[in-house]
C-alpha cells in the first residue's frame, strides 16, 4: 500500500515508481517530486531522506533530512523553498508531485512502473 496519498489521482505516487531503476538504502521507498516553480523533477527515497537531484546522473544525491519544524527544504534546481515542513503529508503532498505528462516532458518515463510516460 502506498504511503503517499494525494487528493489528485492524476499525480504519481510511490506505487508508480519503478524501484529497480535505482538503489539506495535497501527499502527503496521512492517518490518522484516536482518543483512547482521551475518544473525540475527529482527522486526521493523517503525511507532514508535521500534526494537523487539529477535523474540523468543518479550519483548526484543530497540529504533531505531536516528536523527543525521551522526549516524548509528547497528545490535542488532553483532553490525556491518548500511551503511545507512535511512535504509528503496527505494535506499538502499534491503541491510536490508530478503527473505522467510532467514526467514524459522531462524524459523520465523509464522511472515509472509500466515504463510509459503517456497517460
Amino acid at each position: 500500500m502506498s504511503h503517499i496519498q494525494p487528493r489528485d489521482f492524476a499525480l504519481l505516487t510511490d506505487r508508480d515508481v519503478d524501484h529497480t531503476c535505482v538503489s539506495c538504502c535497501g527499502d527503496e521507498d521512492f517518490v518522484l517530486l516536482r518543483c512547482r516553480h521551475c518544473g525540475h523533477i527529482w527522486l526521493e527515497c523517503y525511507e532514508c531522506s535521500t534526494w537523487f537531484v539529477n535523474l540523468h546522473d543518479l550519483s548526484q544525491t543530497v540529504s533531505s533530512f531536516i528536523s527543525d519544524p521551522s526549516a524548509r527544504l528547497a528545490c535542488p534546481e532553483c532553490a525556491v523553498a518548500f511551503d511545507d515542513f512535511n512535504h509528503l503529508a496527505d494535506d499538502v503532498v499534491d503541491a510536490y508531485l508530478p503527473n505522467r505528462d510532467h514526467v514524459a516532458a522531462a524524459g523520465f518515463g523509464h522511472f515509472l512502473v509500466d515504463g510509459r510516460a503517456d497517460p
Side-chain angles (χ1 to χ4, degrees):
M1 174 144 187
S2 176
H3 295 280
I4 311 299
Q5 302 292 326
R7 293 180 185 137
D8 180 350
F9 295 116
L11 297 174
L12 300 174
T13 70
D14 48 336
R15 288 175 293 166
D16 298 301
V17 176
D18 181 354
H19 294 59
T20 66
C21 288
V22 62
S23 181
C24 193
C25 63
D27 283 337
E28 274 61 42
D29 289 327
F30 295 121
V31 64
L32 289 162
L33 300 176
R34 180 177 182 269
C35 177
R36 70 166 98 181
H37 298 278
C38 73
H40 180 70
I41 294 177
W42 68 100
L43 190 68
E44 176 176 351
C45 176
Y46 60 85
E47 186 64 35
C48 69
S49 301
T50 298
W51 277 0
F52 294 84
V53 297
N54 180 346
L55 296 184
H56 296 291
D57 179 359
L58 296 174
S59 69
Q60 294 183 30
T61 62
V62 298
S63 175
S64 64
F65 178 78
I66 56 175
S67 59
D68 179 355
S70 66
R72 295 294 181 265
L73 293 168
C75 171
E77 185 70 16
C78 71
V80 170
F82 286 12
D83 291 333
D84 305 287
F85 172 74
N86 185 359
H87 62 285
L88 297 180
D90 292 346
D91 57 336
V92 299
V93 71
D94 289 44
Y96 304 97
L97 300 177
N99 61 36
R100 287 188 179 275
D101 290 338
H102 297 138
V103 173
F108 300 129
H110 60 284
F111 284 97
L112 302 179
V113 170
D114 60 9
R116 298 179 314 120
D118 57 321

